[in-house]
Amino acid sequence: MKIVFATGNSGKLREASEILGEGFELVSLAQVGITEDIPETGKTLRANSLQKAQYLYDKTGCDCFADDTGLEVDALGGAPGVYTARYAGDDKDFNRNMDKVLYELGVLEGEARMAGSLGLKVKKVSRRARFKSVVTLIIGGQIKMFEGTLEGVIAREKSGNGGFGYDPIFIADEYPGKTLADISEEEKNAISHRGKALRAMAAWLHTHSETVPTAPTVPSADPSVISTDPSVISTDPTVPSADPSVPSTDPSVISTGPSVISSEAEGRVEKSE
Ligand code: IMP
């Protein structure tokens, strides 16, 4: 089965391919001719993940999925959260994003120290944080959402050369004393937020792919084909729309249809035109 993954990141594509395993061929955005930035204007990870998957479905009519990830730092009230990629500015600079988190925690700790030195009773600033990933799958006209979390703490300084994003300042509970950038890609993938969400999706797909009617085809990389060829956009009457009346019995599936998608993310799948 071919599924389009809303990513241009070869590492993510490789990770998802390995997790999905045999029987699934992942297609990248470039392979379906999508080169523009996919809009992410939601206020939650779920909303953004759905928005990206829906955008892809509207453009291609193909079975597809998209992920969205955020870092939540408790002492920062859950920030950067949905603004993780752009925390220090629109250029999405990883180093500046990490510096901003370290600086803000440092300021809070400095304030707490000062208050303590004045004899005030203050709570220790927590460096507890977590990555959360939400993966939205649109398959056979249905929407499914899967979630994965990785718990840890924010390091005092950057460490390690591996990984990407905030990896050099995130210490997972599973590897005390090491940041995600200090451990191997395999070690990270085995515990990662995205890995967990993708594995939940893979488990669902392996159980249901035989019974779910899939979108007819994956279009070529010619954008004009994607947007104009009616055979590419799914209008197949056998493709059911997501049925909100059917509750999920699978605990890994956090949403089974438009009506249970969070209110920030309007559930919509069929049909684009
Ligand atoms: P995205 O939704 O996967 O694009 O992730 C949003 C932002 O979260 C990225 O720009 C990265 O800064 C950060 N991020 C996502 N996944 C990871 C990860 O596994 N490690 C570190 N940072 C990540």
Side-chain angles (χ1 to χ4, degrees):
M1 178 192 295
K2 286 193 181 188
I3 309 185
V4 188
F5 183 11
T7 189
N9 179 321
S10 56
K12 277 193 192 178
L13 206 63
R14 196 170 55 240
E15 180 186 8
S17 280
E18 278 164 17
I19 288 175
L20 282 175
E22 273 180 31
F24 295 92
E25 187 187 332
L26 286 195
V27 179
S28 70
L29 286 177
Q31 285 171 289
V32 291
I34 294 182
T35 53
E36 69 273 22
D37 273 351
I38 300 182
E40 290 180 57
T41 54
K43 297 248 176 334
T44 63
L45 299 178
R46 289 161 66 95
N48 276 340
S49 154
L50 176 62
Q51 185 180 21
K52 286 190 266 187
Q54 184 74 56
Y55 181 93
L56 193 50
Y57 185 75
D58 287 346
K59 285 271 174 170
T60 68
C62 299
D63 297 324
C64 58
F65 64 94
D67 69 317
D68 200 52
T69 295
L71 173 68
E72 288 179 2
V73 182
D74 287 350
L76 304 180
V82 75
Y83 304 108
T84 295
R86 295 179 166 80
Y87 198 42
D90 280 346
D91 55 353
K92 300 187 187 174
D93 185 301
F94 290 157
N95 263 312
R96 289 185 44 233
N97 283 340
M98 285 188 282
D99 289 343
K100 186 171 176 185
V101 170
L102 291 177
Y103 172 78
E104 289 180 337
L105 284 175
V107 168
L108 290 176
E109 287 175 337
E111 286 171 357
R113 264 197 310 276
M114 187 176 291
S117 70
L118 294 172
L120 299 169
K121 219 173 157 197
V122 279
K123 245 175 91 182
K124 192 169 174 255
V125 175
S126 165
R127 298 185 77 91
R128 182 125 295 268
R130 69 207 51 78
F131 280 110
K132 276 190 184 164
S133 281
V134 178
V135 170
T136 299
L137 169 71
I138 297 185
I139 187 162
Q142 298 179 45
I143 298 169
K144 304 281 177 189
M145 296 177 104
F146 307 89
E147 202 173 57
T149 300
L150 178 62
E151 287 285 341
V153 291
I154 300 297
R156 301 221 155 258
E157 56 189 31
K158 295 173 200 162
S159 170
N161 299 313
F164 72 102
Y166 294 76
D167 282 349
I169 62 164
F170 190 89
I171 299 175
D173 289 346
E174 288 85 343
Y175 289 96
K178 289 181 180 180
T179 69
L180 290 179
D182 287 321
I183 63 176
S184 71
E185 190 176 318
E186 293 70 43
E187 288 171 326
K188 179 186 165 186
N189 290 347
I191 57 166
S192 89
H193 40 97
R194 193 170 23 260
K196 286 173 189 156
L198 288 171
R199 273 190 289 280
M201 179 182 80
W204 188 89
L205 276 169
H206 283 282
T207 316
H208 293 86
S209 60
E210 307 272 291
T211 52
V212 175
T214 57
T217 182
V218 171
S220 77
D222 177 352
S224 65
V225 173
I226 293 163
S227 55
T228 59
D229 181 351
S231 73
V232 170
I233 303 295
S234 175
T235 54
D236 184 346
T238 65
V239 177
S241 53
D243 181 356
S245 67
V246 181
S248 171
T249 51
D250 179 347
S252 69
V253 179
I254 60 173
S255 165
T256 59
S259 73
V260 285
I261 288 190
S262 62
S263 54
E264 302 86 348
E266 208 189 322
R268 190 183 70 77
V269 67
E270 286 191 298
K271 90 179 193 339
S272 58
E273 50 198 75

